[in-house]
Amino acid sequence: MQRSAPRLTRILACAAVPVMLVVAGCSSDSGDSGKPKAQEKTGASASATPSPSQTTKAVEPAKFAKLPQVCQSVSAKTTEVLVPKAKTKNGTPAVSSDLASRGGCSWNGLDDKGVKGSQYRWLDVSFYRYESDATLGSGQERAGQNLAKEVAKVEGTAGAKNLRTSVAAGIGDEAKAVTYQENKTGVNFVYTSIVARTGNVLVLLSYNGAGYSGAPTPTEKAITDGAVKAAKEAVASVAAANK
């Protein structure tokens, strides 16, 4: 009985300390291998941790490195047809702090036909270029994601009537066309917006028109056909600028 007293004393002492300490310091009779539990877990997790080379995802390089001169992305011949009597024949460039990543240009004018009324037209084109990024994805993927966002913005135009979205075939890698009408100060405007992606570049084009002083409202087909023609030229100018 005296021989077992030290063992009993030790058991009582262990019972008086916190549970976490019992595991670490009071298990000499449990038959452990002698290696601390914490070290065993650390070794297992370390061996399962992937190396930096395993976790880094390779992304596809951006297809296009630069943007075209935006006011020259649509030919002068086309802008003269789409926007007769444009205030600025060569277009008005949009202000941009980074022309390598974004730019825009617009044309607008009123073709006065006297007693037959007047026809107003407005054309706008913008470019956005996306770089490839290890965390955000390739430039092509980023442009595709933003295409959906830009289409949603157009679809959310306040006051839009008879809005319809369709696939615009034959324009870049993918494109959507949004057509609608909007009444401004008693005049009915017809709009067609095209959002197209070519590689890592997003092209946003809007074309609209209205008839004043008794002139007829332009047809949706005329406006859409004009927008499609200009969008194809704008998309083609991206590849031409990167040759």
Side-chain angles (χ1 to χ4, degrees), residues 80-167:
E80 287 174 4
V81 172
L82 298 184
V83 190
K85 309 296 183 182
K87 293 179 181 178
T88 306
K89 185 177 180 180
N90 295 325
T92 302
V95 176
S96 173
S97 59
D98 184 4
L99 291 174
S101 298
R102 54 187 176 274
C105 191
S106 62
W107 297 258
N108 70 86
L110 185 68
D111 186 9
D112 190 346
K113 298 184 180 301
V115 295
K116 294 182 179 180
S118 304
Q119 287 289 338
Y120 175 81
R121 296 292 184 273
W122 185 79
L123 173 68
D124 180 272
V125 59
S126 299
F127 291 87
Y128 295 90
R129 188 180 67 84
Y130 299 88
E131 290 285 5
S132 293
D133 185 282
T135 58
L136 300 176
S138 71
Q140 289 73 247
E141 291 172 333
R142 296 178 65 195
Q145 292 165 357
N146 281 282
L147 183 148
K149 294 178 181 179
E150 293 298 333
V151 169
K153 287 181 183 179
V154 179
E155 291 175 332
T157 300
K161 299 181 298 181
N162 303 320
L163 189 146
R164 185 176 71 257
T165 302
S166 60
V167 173

Side-chain angles (χ1 to χ4, degrees), residues 28-51:
S28 60
D29 294 331
S30 63
D32 287 347
S33 62
K35 185 176 182 180
K37 298 288 185 181
Q39 289 185 15
E40 292 177 357
K41 292 181 179 179
T42 302
S45 61
S47 63
T49 302
S51 65

Side-chain angles (χ1 to χ4, degrees), residues 187-200:
V187 178
N188 196 40
F189 281 73
V190 179
Y191 288 80
T192 294
S193 292
I194 294 179
V195 184
R197 180 184 70 83
T198 176
N200 59 312

